[in-house]
Amino acid sequence: MVASHLGNVDILSMLHSQHLKYESMSSLSPKMGFISPGFGCRLVDAGCNLEAENAAGATALVAAAEGGQLEAATLLVEAKADVNHVGAMGSTPLFAAVQDGHHEVARCLLKAGAAADHVLVNGASSLMLAAQLGDVETASALLEAGAEVDKKDRDGSTALILAAQEGHDALVRVLLGAGASLDLARQGSSALVVAAQAGHESTVAELLAAGAAVNQARDDGGTALMLAVQEGHRGVVEQLLSAGARVQQPAANGATALSLAARGQDEEILRCLLEASKAVSPEDLDELFDGGG
């Protein structure tokens, strides 16, 4: 398949004239820029097997999608290459396009019938991948194509949880606008909990404004406030307290946000919690933290 690697139409024509049959397109590497429209047309006309896989289980369409080659992908789609070909780990051409942020190729594949909700062996969908990467263009295309906004992977992650975990505010807004549930959780951790733990203040603000339950607890009883305290995210602690987070809500082991702060090193966080709990008078707080002076 030297001609395929070179992308040389003249060599291809010569070989084709000698009636040599091309059984595979898998030697093509569109990611490296070897397909030209003229060469691709000749190769398709030569009767190549469009579904042949390389050693990694990728077809020519997968390679074109991975490389972001819209012309090559369009040519292969028009030649009836399988847009839902399932390769290693359940990956498809659409996943290949999403993984590398090629939203134009993703739209091409979706228009040709690529399954927007196909999942990998771990249950992850293309929308989850786009959300984790913060790719608004691709996520929007998937949602327009009917992708399920609240689909869960095997661990319980949703697109919203993954976007919140990474602090992708624009993606969070897109998903909320598409009706993403704020209550779904991964092993008890909601989108608000993971955003608070990561210290993403703007994401926390988006989720609270959308109505996220500020005191929703994980399976172990931990709350967004407890995790923000543990990680030392003072700004997030203040946001959560302003939204009504309970200072004395206990986890399964009996710990509270206040007790966790008392064990920590951040006096400002401890003071914020004591003020919110109203367990100590303002005068006593001044005495405790300022020595009365």
Side-chain angles (χ1 to χ4, degrees):
M1 297 300 291
V2 174
S4 296
H5 282 293
L6 294 176
N8 190 313
V9 175
D10 292 333
I11 294 176
L12 180 63
S13 298
M14 178 185 70
L15 294 176
H16 191 208
S17 69
Q18 295 178 23
H19 307 292
L20 296 179
K21 185 171 179 60
Y22 297 91
E23 293 295 341
S24 173
M25 290 186 74
S26 60
S27 62
L28 294 175
S29 181
K31 189 172 185 179
M32 298 179 70
F34 291 142
I35 286 185
S36 67
F39 172 63
C41 288
R42 295 290 188 93
L43 197 55
V44 169
D45 290 343
C48 294
N49 175 9
L50 301 184
E51 307 313 321
E53 299 179 349
N54 63 14
T59 63
L61 183 55
V62 169
E66 185 180 43
Q69 288 209 353
L70 181 59
E71 281 188 278
T74 301
L75 170 69
L76 291 163
V77 165
E78 290 175 350
K80 306 303 180 186
D82 185 3
V83 295
N84 289 308
H85 179 93
V86 179
M89 306 301 290
S91 186
T92 63
L94 181 59
F95 270 97
V98 174
Q99 184 171 331
D100 287 295
H102 302 308
H103 60 268
E104 290 185 342
V105 176
R107 284 188 180 277
C108 168
L109 295 169
L110 289 166
K111 185 177 179 181
D117 272 335
H118 174 80
V119 297
L120 300 176
V121 293
N122 65 357
S125 68
S126 294
L127 181 60
M128 292 178 200
L129 179 56
Q132 190 168 23
L133 296 173
D135 189 339
V136 172
E137 288 280 353
T138 302
S140 297
L142 289 162
L143 289 167
E144 290 167 13
E148 182 184 341
V149 70
D150 283 331
K151 183 179 282 292
K152 287 187 171 187
D153 70 9
R154 198 162 54 194
D155 293 329
S157 290
T158 64
L160 182 61
I161 290 171
L162 292 169
Q165 181 174 285
E166 299 300 326
H168 297 313
D169 298 343
L171 212 301
V172 166
R173 286 192 292 273
V174 167
L175 294 168
L176 290 173
S181 172
L182 290 161
D183 299 324
L184 295 178
R186 177 184 63 207
Q187 299 171 357
S189 292
S190 65
L192 179 62
V193 169
V194 299
Q197 184 174 19
H200 299 310
E201 293 183 29
S202 56
T203 307
V204 168
E206 292 281 353
L207 295 167
L208 288 173
V214 70
N215 291 306
Q216 183 174 339
R218 301 189 310 186
D219 294 346
D220 62 1
T223 63
L225 182 60
M226 292 179 197
L227 293 166
V229 168
Q230 281 185 313
E231 298 298 330
H233 300 312
R234 192 182 313 168
V236 174
V237 168
E238 292 172 349
Q239 287 177 295
L240 296 170
L241 290 172
S242 295
R246 292 193 287 267
V247 175
Q248 296 284 24
Q249 180 171 324
N253 63 2
T256 65
L258 189 56
S259 69
L260 291 170
R263 299 174 202 161
Q265 303 297 317
D266 194 320
E267 288 189 356
E268 288 301 317
I269 287 180
L270 179 57
R271 181 164 190 154
C272 285
L273 293 170
L274 286 170
E275 287 176 348
S277 71
K278 302 187 186 305
V280 181
S281 69
E283 294 77 15
D284 288 341
L285 276 175
D286 289 340
E287 179 68 28
L288 178 63
F289 290 99
D290 303 325

